Amino acid sequence: MTDLDTAYNYHQYTAHRALARIAGDLLPRFTVSTKVGYFPDGHDLRSWRLQEAAEQSATDLGRPPDTLLLHNPECSPHDFASACTALADMREQGLCHAWGVATWDPRPLLRASKDAPSPDVVMVRAGLTVSTAVLDAAEELAEHLGTEDLWGMAPFAGNTADPIWKKVDTSLFLAPGQQATPFQAGIAAAFTLPEVSRVAVGASRLDHLAESARASCTDVNTDNLKRYRSLLRRAATASR
């Protein structure tokens, strides 16, 4: 696992400096994605603020990030298209090697994506905790933006200790013969809900990080996951 994901505002705006200090000369061996959009006075997608954050991020890391993402642009959807254009310009300036969008809820962005340039990547919530409306909107947003590379995040909605994980038999989502903990099965399932090329997980607990690494090599039962997705849609339709 050599992909690191962080954000300009993490750890009270010190995450980049802390990462550079701790990793030292090992940092070039990692690919780093980071996010911009939050500031001490709130969420802001104005181009000049994103530019300042991108420049500061590159300075603090000691190099441009591999991927620069708009952080929760659904909080300011009216600025989405212009913010995408700003990040595309930053890629041309060398402030990042690729750019994209990281959204917790893509639905407000669907209409706003009409005039936005095509990003290199879209990061969305993934996994068994995500509603069918958000799953469908994530795939639709990627299609609208012309992006083929979809990344996942927050497979447990930020709470791996939720009692639900002791009640749900997540082994149903594993291929026959596969053995994994409920945590690992949840990570493995996240790679197909929706279909993503990578899943970002927290690194504060080493045991969870080790389980996540093993989960990325676990085979899933694609038929059961398709049935699960169909059941989600059916339940959503019935509740309307």
Side-chain angles (χ1 to χ4, degrees), residues 74-97:
E74 66 271 22
C75 295
S76 307
H78 53 285
D79 291 325
F80 180 58
S82 60
C84 286
T85 299
L87 259 66
D89 290 342
M90 292 177 207
R91 180 184 60 188
E92 298 306 309
Q93 296 171 34
L95 287 173
C96 59
H97 300 294

Side-chain angles (χ1 to χ4, degrees), residues 178-211:
Q178 297 287 300
Q179 293 185 345
T181 66
F183 179 85
Q184 289 172 316
I187 294 287
F191 279 92
T192 60
L193 293 169
E195 197 78 31
V196 295
S197 60
R198 64 180 71 179
V199 175
V201 297
S204 58
R205 287 186 54 179
L206 292 180
D207 56 339
H208 281 181
L209 190 59
E211 281 195 88

Side-chain angles (χ1 to χ4, degrees), residues 171-180 218-224:
S171 66
L172 293 171
F173 301 108
L174 299 179
Q178 297 287 300
Q179 293 185 345
T218 301
D219 295 327
V220 296
N221 188 320
T222 54
D223 289 338
N224 279 356

Side-chain angles (χ1 to χ4, degrees), residues 131-146:
S131 70
T132 188
V134 172
L135 287 171
D136 290 344
E139 293 168 337
E140 190 175 350
L141 179 65
E143 183 177 353
H144 279 197
L145 292 172

Side-chain angles (χ1 to χ4, degrees), residues 47-127:
S47 299
W48 69 270
R49 297 210 76 177
L50 296 175
Q51 178 84 23
E52 286 187 352
E55 292 173 352
Q56 187 64 52
S57 297
T59 297
D60 291 346
L61 287 168
R63 66 175 174 94
D66 296 279
T67 305
L68 187 65
L69 303 163
L70 284 179
H71 202 170
N72 295 132
E74 66 271 22
C75 295
S76 307
H78 53 285
D79 291 325
F80 180 58
S82 60
C84 286
T85 299
L87 259 66
D89 290 342
M90 292 177 207
R91 180 184 60 188
E92 298 306 309
Q93 296 171 34
L95 287 173
C96 59
H97 300 294
W99 74 276
V101 176
T103 172
W104 190 263
D105 185 353
R107 288 172 291 183
L109 301 175
L110 292 176
R111 184 175 297 178
S113 66
K114 180 180 178 181
D115 299 319
S118 180
D120 300 296
V121 63
V122 173
M123 176 185 276
V124 296
R125 286 185 60 202

